[in-house]
Amino acid sequence: MEIRLDWLGCATFRLTLGETVVFLDAYMDRVPTAPKIGLSAKDVRRADFVLVGHAHFDHIAGAELIARNTGARIIGSHESCRVMREQDVAANQLLPSQGGERHRLAADVTVRVFPSLHSCTWTTGSLSAMEASTGDLGLCEDERAGVAARQGLGSTIGRRAETGDSAANDLRAHLATAVGSGQTGGPLAYLIETPQGSIFWQDTSGCWTGVLRELRPDVAILAAAGRGNLDGEPIQGSLADFIRIEAELLQPRTIVLGHHDNWMPPVTPEGGTDVSPIRTALAGSLPAAKLLEPGYMDGTLLLG
C-alpha cells in the first residue's frame, strides 16, 4: 500500500491510503484573501471518510459538502456530528466519537480516536514560534473568561482583526457564513494504523501528555498555531517548545506541521508562521526524525 499526503491548508490534509481516501478536517474554502489551495470542497468527488478534529469553522467547514457529494462518512465529536446534521448530512454517514473508539476505514486500515485539548484561545500567545508566553496557570473558567475580556479576545478569533480595512471586512463576511460551531465539541486526535505504519494527527495545539506518550506513531502530523495546552494548562514557553514536547512524547520517525500557513488574513501573519524555530527545536531534540514541509497539493509519499 502506498500512502500519500496532500496538505490542503490550515490543518486540513488528504490521505490516500491505497484505494481509500481520507480527509483530515475539510476547511479549504477560506477567506478570499488567503492563499489559494487548488481544491474546493465542492469539487471533491472521491472521499471515503472525513475525520474532524473539532467543530470550529476552520476545521469542519466543507465536511458537509464532501459528505453530501461523495457519500463519505464523518468521524467526529457529538458536537461535530450535530453541526453536520444541521447541514443535512444523513445520520448513517455520521460516526459520533469521544475517544476510545476504533473505526475501520478499509480492510486493513483502522483509526483509533483519542481525547485531546484545544490550544488556549482564552489567553493571548505570541504569533512567533520562538517567543515564550508565561503565566495564566491554575485559573478556573470564570477567571479565564476574565483574562479573555481584559485581553480583548472575542468569542471568535475573527474579532481580533482590525476594523475598517478590506481584509477585515472580507474576514467578517466569511465568518458570517462559514459552517461551524462556537464550541469545540471536545477536540479529538486520531491514530491511523496501516500495514505500512501508523499516522497520528491532531488539528490544534493541545494534548494530554499521558495519551501521547503511549502511541509511538511512525508519522506525526502536528498543529503549529496558538498557545499550547499541556494537560489543561497553557504552556510556559513557546510554540516551538510545545511542538518539541509533543514530538518527544510521540517519538515519530517523520513529522509534518499544519495550521501554520496564512489561513486567515489579516489575523495570521503574511507568509504564515515562521517555523524555523520549530525546525531548530526538533533537530536538537529528535535529530533522527525527518521534518517534511510539503506545499499545497504536493502528494507527498509518507509510507509505502
Side-chain angles (χ1 to χ4, degrees), residues 132-220:
S133 297
T134 59
D136 300 321
L137 289 171
L139 303 183
C140 295
E141 290 304 300
D142 57 341
E143 296 167 313
R144 290 181 174 185
V147 170
R150 289 192 299 275
Q151 295 178 351
L153 304 182
S155 60
T156 66
I157 194 171
R159 293 188 184 174
R160 301 182 203 180
E162 295 180 2
T163 59
D165 64 19
S166 60
N169 291 335
D170 286 343
L171 175 55
R172 283 191 291 275
H174 177 67
L175 291 172
T177 58
V179 170
S181 171
Q183 307 298 320
T184 67
L188 300 173
Y190 297 89
L191 184 70
I192 299 167
E193 297 172 305
T194 82
Q196 273 63 45
S198 60
I199 303 162
F200 175 82
W201 169 70
Q202 62 181 25
D203 68 355
T204 187
S205 299
C207 71
W208 294 108
T209 57
V211 171
L212 263 58
R213 69 166 51 95
E214 300 298 326
L215 298 183
R216 293 294 187 270
D218 295 287
V219 178

Side-chain angles (χ1 to χ4, degrees), residues 10-290:
C10 201
T12 298
F13 295 85
R14 176 175 57 189
L15 270 177
T16 304
L17 306 116
E19 298 301 315
T20 302
V21 177
V22 178
F23 279 78
L24 312 177
D25 282 350
Y27 182 61
M28 294 170 275
D29 301 314
R30 316 187 304 179
V31 62
T33 48
K36 299 298 182 286
I37 301 302
L39 183 65
S40 174
K42 65 180 175 58
D43 296 326
V44 173
R45 290 292 177 265
R46 185 182 170 206
D48 297 289
F49 289 88
V50 181
L51 312 185
V52 176
H54 66 281
H56 286 164
F57 77 95
D58 52 318
H59 301 272
I60 197 172
E64 77 287 356
L65 296 175
I66 295 173
R68 292 200 302 257
N69 291 340
T70 69
R73 304 188 76 184
I74 295 174
I75 302 174
S77 69
H78 289 267
E79 176 68 1
S80 293
C81 290
R82 181 195 67 77
V83 171
M84 291 296 95
R85 287 195 300 271
E86 286 188 347
Q87 297 298 316
D88 297 322
V89 176
N92 63 4
Q93 289 178 253
L94 301 175
L95 295 167
S97 303
Q98 60 187 13
E101 299 84 1
R102 188 193 301 267
H103 300 285
R104 187 167 300 282
L105 305 181
D108 51 359
V109 180
T110 61
V111 61
R112 296 173 64 192
V113 187
F114 295 91
S116 191
L117 291 167
H118 199 280
S119 63
C120 297
T121 54
W122 51 271
T123 181
T124 54
S126 173
L127 293 177
S128 165
M130 183 172 57
E131 187 176 337
S133 297
T134 59
D136 300 321
L137 289 171
L139 303 183
C140 295
E141 290 304 300
D142 57 341
E143 296 167 313
R144 290 181 174 185
V147 170
R150 289 192 299 275
Q151 295 178 351
L153 304 182
S155 60
T156 66
I157 194 171
R159 293 188 184 174
R160 301 182 203 180
E162 295 180 2
T163 59
D165 64 19
S166 60
N169 291 335
D170 286 343
L171 175 55
R172 283 191 291 275
H174 177 67
L175 291 172
T177 58
V179 170
S181 171
Q183 307 298 320
T184 67
L188 300 173
Y190 297 89
L191 184 70
I192 299 167
E193 297 172 305
T194 82
Q196 273 63 45
S198 60
I199 303 162
F200 175 82
W201 169 70
Q202 62 181 25
D203 68 355
T204 187
S205 299
C207 71
W208 294 108
T209 57
V211 171
L212 263 58
R213 69 166 51 95
E214 300 298 326
L215 298 183
R216 293 294 187 270
D218 295 287
V219 178
I221 306 173
L222 304 175
R227 187 167 178 187
N229 185 338
L230 281 173
D231 296 331
E233 294 285 359
I235 187 171
Q236 303 300 293
S238 67
L239 177 61
D241 292 329
F242 179 76
I243 299 295
R244 172 186 55 78
I245 290 168
E246 287 190 310
E248 288 174 348
L249 291 166
L250 291 165
Q251 293 290 310
R253 292 187 290 117
T254 302
I255 299 168
V256 180
L257 302 180
H259 219 326
H260 60 294
D261 61 336
N262 185 20
W263 63 274
M264 194 175 67
V267 176
T268 47
E270 185 176 354
T273 299
D274 178 8
V275 300
S276 56
I278 299 174
R279 192 182 302 120
T280 300
L282 292 174
S285 182
L286 277 81
K290 183 178 182 180

